[in-house]
Amino acid sequence: MQSTLRPKTHLAVIMDGNGRWATNRGLPRSRGHEAGARAVRPVVEAATEAGIGTLTLYAFSSDNWRRPGPEVAVLMGLLHRFLAKEIEALADSGVRLNVIGRRDRLPSGLAARIAAAEAMSAGAARLHLRIAVDYSSRDALLEAARRAEASVTRETFGALVAGAGVPDVDLLVRTGGERRLSDFLLWECAYAELRFVDRLWPDFGRDDLTEALADLRCRQRRFGGLPAAAEAA
């Protein structure tokens, strides 16, 4: 049974496969990360056009600090350039940007650049774009637990974990062929539909996003209940 997307649909993407994309072409891994950064814009544009309410992209996990220093430096530099180059166009097209994750370990100047980009786009309301950087869902849950009061409910705790007004994930897409969540939005993905694709992130584009959303529309989401027909019977 086909259904339409909710107005506040939340799409999450684990952008995996940049390094393998480069290796397959005999290129340094940094070239794969550069190609991955270029792939972000068309996906954000397609999500905006599709009426997605929230798009969360997993850019750099807290465990990624274990990677070689030069590779980490490339990733941080790409994020800095993305924010400087794209934020004005994003804001003009109605995209509000937030970066989730820790900021105290980021290179000098990057946290300030993030804050400036968030402020510039704060009034946009067409799409809420969240980029996860130095992010760990387990750490987010621990921090929420520290801040929670004794009378906490699922709703109030969820706001502490994800941020006020951020809906649960409806569809999580992971590129690159892996089949795991990798410490990404564990609370928010409690009832998310999961889609794992073999295509590496730099090759993921508008058509892939359209196909993923069409798949979501065709899935029957019961949230622990029964389909309407079965409940009536």
Side-chain angles (χ1 to χ4, degrees):
M1 178 183 299
Q2 190 173 37
S3 62
T4 58
L5 296 176
R6 295 188 300 110
K8 296 298 184 181
T9 295
H10 185 173
L11 170 66
V13 182
I14 301 175
M15 305 181 294
D16 194 18
N18 292 343
R20 281 171 286 156
W21 183 92
T23 300
N24 292 345
R25 289 162 174 75
L27 300 172
R29 288 176 59 87
S30 60
R31 295 287 296 278
H33 294 309
E34 292 167 1
R38 290 193 297 270
V40 170
R41 174 186 273 211
V43 169
V44 171
E45 291 174 346
T48 305
E49 294 163 6
I52 296 296
T54 304
L55 173 63
T56 303
L57 303 177
Y58 204 9
F60 188 87
S61 78
S62 295
D63 290 329
N64 286 154
W65 291 112
R66 301 172 183 172
R67 294 190 178 188
E71 181 172 348
V72 170
V74 167
L75 289 165
M76 294 298 161
L78 285 170
L79 176 59
H80 197 286
R81 289 194 293 276
F82 175 84
L83 295 172
K85 180 181 178 182
E86 300 287 350
I87 189 57
E88 186 172 353
L90 288 172
D92 288 345
S93 61
V95 178
R96 175 165 62 97
L97 174 72
N98 285 127
V99 175
I100 61 174
R102 293 180 59 171
R103 302 189 186 185
D104 58 302
R105 299 188 291 193
L106 299 180
S108 176
L110 184 52
R113 171 63 69 180
I114 289 170
E118 290 177 331
M120 182 179 293
S121 64
R126 194 175 177 193
L127 171 72
H128 185 189
L129 172 63
R130 307 193 312 154
I131 301 178
V133 178
D134 195 359
Y135 174 83
S136 162
S137 185
R138 288 178 172 178
D139 287 349
L141 287 165
L142 284 172
E143 178 59 24
R146 293 189 189 102
R147 296 165 56 198
E149 299 177 356
S151 59
V152 67
T153 65
R154 277 191 182 188
E155 290 72 22
T156 56
F157 189 76
L160 290 173
V161 174
V166 176
D168 285 346
V169 173
D170 295 288
L171 174 65
L172 181 138
V173 176
R174 179 168 186 149
T175 63
E178 302 293 351
R179 305 290 195 270
R180 56 179 177 269
L181 295 181
S182 297
D183 197 14
F184 184 49
L185 303 181
L186 301 179
W187 175 277
E188 299 92 317
C189 284
Y191 273 101
E193 299 294 318
L194 306 180
R195 181 177 176 86
F196 300 105
V197 297
D198 292 331
R199 192 181 302 280
L200 303 177
W201 171 249
D203 294 326
F204 190 90
R206 287 174 169 268
D207 291 343
D208 299 291
L209 183 65
T210 299
E211 184 177 339
L213 295 178
D215 180 32
L216 175 62
R217 290 187 184 96
C218 292
R219 297 196 188 189
Q220 194 173 71
R221 307 186 69 200
R222 298 187 292 275
F223 300 97
L226 293 176
E231 186 173 356

